[in-house]
Amino acid sequence: MKLKHLALTAAAVAAALSTPAFAQGTEQFFPVLVYRTGPYAPNGVPFANGYVDYLKLINAKGGINGVKISYEECETGYATDKGVECYERLKGKGATVFQPLSTGITFALTEKAPGDKIPLITSGYGRADSVDGLAFKWNFPLLGTYWTGASVLVQHVKKANGGSLKGKKIALVYHDSPYGKEPIPLMQELAQQEGFTLQLLPVTAPGIEQKATWLQVRQSRPDHVFLWGWGVMNSAALKEAVATGYPREKMYGVWWSGAEPDVKDVGAAAKGYSALTMQDAADANSKIIQDVMGLVHGKGQGTGPKEEVGQVLYMRGLSAAMMAVEGVRRAQERFGKGKVMSGEQVRWGFENLALDQKKLDGLGFAGVMRPVSTSCADHMGASWARIRTWDGAKWGIASDWYQADDSVIKPLVKASADKYLADKKLERRTPADCQS
């Protein structure tokens, strides 16, 4: 009898350990990986402020169908090892979703998330092949990947060159990291298809010293420079372009190279420089900005200075938090409105997002985002982007919407995802698993 009692006790302890901590709580917990210090802080801070302000806004409005949000920040410094440490420290607190804001951290967490059953949102970064939800069950590169970005940039400069890039040269000045290397396979494919020469120019992190790189640019005189930088690398690149006389009008950055911190120190000298924008455009009259100013900053609860509300990276953080919250709300529709959702339940919510224009307008995101609709096979949900241009004092939208070219991207995604599955000895998801 005593042995039976001990066995039951041990089973109970094991069950308790396997049950997420939040199961006994009443709040939805959001871990927030940030980098408020170091060379990437000028870009990391406004993103984090926008992210946290949105969580505060949801609480000010009563929570997610009545479920209040709790959150905790963890400083990564944009370092992969610190990002993994943050993940390990916060996952046991009932983590809803992780947004690493780093491709290097994303690669590391991709190996951990399935076992822990915690989804990853990597909006505009991370693994380009994780669009394939049949291969990557727990990754959600919502709104776009670096292959999306590269496709749109090539479409734009092709249009600017009269519809042909044959015989042209494009230099890719990139952060020498998983982030910067991610667009290379697609750029190489497009170079072959479109007939342009691709020059690869890696920059050692953090990217403050680029004189040797821009000496090569001055010598080769490419028709266009694509900048795949982050943090101080972006402003350093623009300063070197000015110093070497490379026309800023021929420079195009990815969406992480086109925000206020990237150009403020260069100012008018950066006039004509353009960059991608995903879905984070806004003006002072948009409802979401008014809500944040009134219900968060107006109550003295703003995370950062109110002047940054509406700026590029602030809005990107805000949008990222919105999608995380809406994944929870979608999960509640299936698993119980007004209840705290597990990571596994929220994963289903992300895989079944249906943010149509009516819903976006109701959330205050009219004019900020386009509709997003995911599925078991498509974990991105949208592949649109625009070009914004710096006029010397502010950013302004300079193009209509472009949609990434799936005819080029999809074969690369499938090939890369198949290789990942083969290397890891994994199988594609079944139709039954897609219903789970």
Side-chain angles (χ1 to χ4, degrees), residues 138-153:
W138 296 89
N139 295 57
F140 293 87
L142 300 174
L143 303 186
T145 69
Y146 294 134
W147 291 358
T148 304
S151 172
V152 169
L153 281 181

Side-chain angles (χ1 to χ4, degrees), residues 154 158 164-170 187-198 223:
V154 169
K158 180 179 178 180
S164 175
L165 289 173
K166 190 173 182 178
K168 302 294 184 181
K169 181 186 291 185
I170 296 176
M187 289 295 298
Q188 291 172 330
E189 178 67 22
L190 289 173
Q192 184 176 359
Q193 290 191 15
E194 298 289 346
F196 64 84
T197 299
L198 177 64
D223 296 282

Side-chain angles (χ1 to χ4, degrees), residues 23 81 97 124 126 129 143 153 181 190 196 216 231 246 313 322 361 377 400 412 414 428 434:
D81 58 345
V97 58
D129 53 7
L143 303 186
L153 281 181
K181 295 174 183 177
L190 289 173
F196 64 84
Q216 293 181 70
Y246 190 82
L313 289 170
M322 182 274 283
D361 292 353
D400 292 329
L412 292 181
K414 187 175 187 307
R428 284 188 167 270
C434 284

Side-chain angles (χ1 to χ4, degrees), residues 97-98 100 102-115 117-123 125-142 145 182 347 350-351 374-381 420 426 429:
V97 58
F98 278 91
S102 157
T103 296
I105 298 174
T106 298
F107 271 70
L109 298 190
T110 295
E111 306 307 310
K112 294 177 174 290
K117 296 186 176 181
I118 303 172
L120 307 175
I121 290 180
T122 60
S123 184
Y125 60 97
R127 298 187 64 111
D129 53 7
S130 65
V131 169
D132 186 349
L134 297 175
F136 295 90
K137 182 175 180 177
W138 296 89
N139 295 57
F140 293 87
L142 300 174
T145 69
E182 190 68 11
R347 191 212 66 78
F350 293 140
E351 191 165 274
T374 57
S375 68
C376 187
D378 176 15
H379 277 196
M380 183 163 63
Y420 176 84
L426 299 172
R429 296 168 64 191

Side-chain angles (χ1 to χ4, degrees), residues 308-343:
E308 74 183 1
V309 178
Q311 291 185 358
V312 174
L313 289 170
Y314 180 94
M315 293 304 298
R316 198 163 298 158
L318 195 82
S319 299
M322 182 274 283
M323 290 186 290
V325 167
E326 290 309 304
V328 175
R329 198 186 308 275
R330 183 75 172 98
Q332 287 185 357
E333 292 178 12
R334 179 178 182 182
F335 300 106
K337 188 171 290 188
K339 294 182 179 180
V340 174
M341 295 288 103
S342 69

Side-chain angles (χ1 to χ4, degrees), residues 124-125 128 131 141 143-157 172 179 182-184 186-187 190 226-228 252-256 275-278 380 382-387 402-406 409:
Y125 60 97
V131 169
L143 303 186
T145 69
Y146 294 134
W147 291 358
T148 304
S151 172
V152 169
L153 281 181
V154 169
Q155 287 181 56
H156 183 72
V157 297
L172 177 65
Y179 153 54
E182 190 68 11
I184 292 175
L186 187 74
M187 289 295 298
L190 289 173
F226 287 1
L227 178 60
W228 232 264
Y252 295 88
V254 68
W255 38 62
W256 301 114
L276 283 168
T277 177
M278 285 193 299
M380 183 163 63
S383 59
W384 298 84
R386 289 185 289 183
I387 305 294
Y402 288 94
Q403 188 171 25
D405 187 352
D406 279 347
I409 295 175

